[in-house]
Amino acid sequence: MSQIAPLVDLKPDELEELYLIPVWVCILIAGADNVFSKKEIMSAVNLSREKQETGDRFLRDYYKIVYKKFEVNVKGYIALMPKNLEQRTEFLVSKLTRVNDLFKKIEINFAHQLYLSFRDFAYHVAHASGGLFGLLSVSFAESKFIDLKMIDDPSGTET
């Protein structure tokens, strides 16, 4: 697996965890209402591809690695996830909370960029279902998680 400069202090299993965060975000938000919309999933796949081309060089490198297996990971993990919404949510929140420990091991500015990127990812997936004239595009269930409150801003500032 490729090594991105700000991530050199992470062990291989920690890197793998970090590369799965966008997958966990996608599954949490897309499945928050207990329905996995194909539109939301494909929107997340497209966003993971787009993020390879935009932003900071290290974020682009990060998303190049994420994108390679993103769609397969999302579909595979959805199939393996508990069907019970509460159990699935608990599992995903625990996975996402784990990133707080990983952030402590990487350069703070890069960790903050990742944090903002993960929140952008959640927002994008939540808004993918459209709604009527762009209204009500985020369900109540999605709105509970869209800010990813289980992930702390590593910069110490609230955004």
Side-chain angles (χ1 to χ4, degrees):
M1 186 172 299
S2 301
Q3 190 68 298
I4 300 170
L7 303 179
V8 295
D9 292 334
L10 295 180
K11 298 173 190 163
D13 60 320
E14 293 171 325
L15 275 172
E16 190 60 36
E17 278 186 77
L18 193 63
Y19 293 136
L20 284 171
I21 296 300
V23 170
W24 303 139
V25 169
C26 173
I27 295 171
L28 176 68
I29 302 299
D33 53 6
N34 217 17
V35 176
F36 289 100
S37 156
K38 187 178 273 189
K39 190 172 184 180
E40 287 174 316
I41 302 299
M42 290 317 297
S43 179
V45 170
N46 290 334
L47 182 61
S48 69
R49 185 187 69 246
E50 290 169 17
K51 284 187 174 283
Q52 301 178 79
E53 302 159 3
T54 59
D56 175 89
R57 174 176 59 95
F58 294 126
L59 274 181
R60 289 190 313 257
D61 291 346
Y62 171 83
Y63 278 101
K64 282 179 185 169
I65 295 167
V66 167
Y67 176 70
K68 286 179 186 175
K69 298 190 286 184
F70 185 82
E71 186 171 3
V72 168
N73 280 336
V74 167
K75 290 178 178 178
Y77 282 114
I78 286 173
L80 295 173
M81 287 279 148
K83 302 304 176 218
N84 176 279
L85 178 61
E86 280 185 42
Q87 291 174 342
R88 184 174 63 241
T89 300
E90 185 178 311
F91 172 82
L92 292 167
V93 167
S94 73
K95 289 292 189 182
L96 290 170
T97 302
R98 174 81 175 108
V99 80
N100 294 317
D101 294 331
L102 300 177
F103 279 165
K104 293 174 187 171
K105 296 181 177 189
I106 60 179
E107 194 270 323
I108 192 166
N109 290 326
F110 184 63
H112 182 67
Q113 288 178 22
L114 282 171
Y115 167 78
L116 294 175
S117 178
F118 298 152
R119 288 191 50 174
D120 178 59
F121 217 93
Y123 180 87
H124 189 86
V125 172
H127 284 84
S129 53
L132 182 62
F133 303 115
L135 301 173
L136 303 173
S137 61
V138 177
S139 73
F140 176 73
E142 292 169 334
S143 72
K144 294 190 302 186
F145 298 108
I146 196 169
D147 290 334
L148 300 179
K149 298 218 183 281
M150 70 289 296
I151 301 177
D152 300 328
D153 182 345
S155 71
T157 61
E158 284 300 313
T159 52

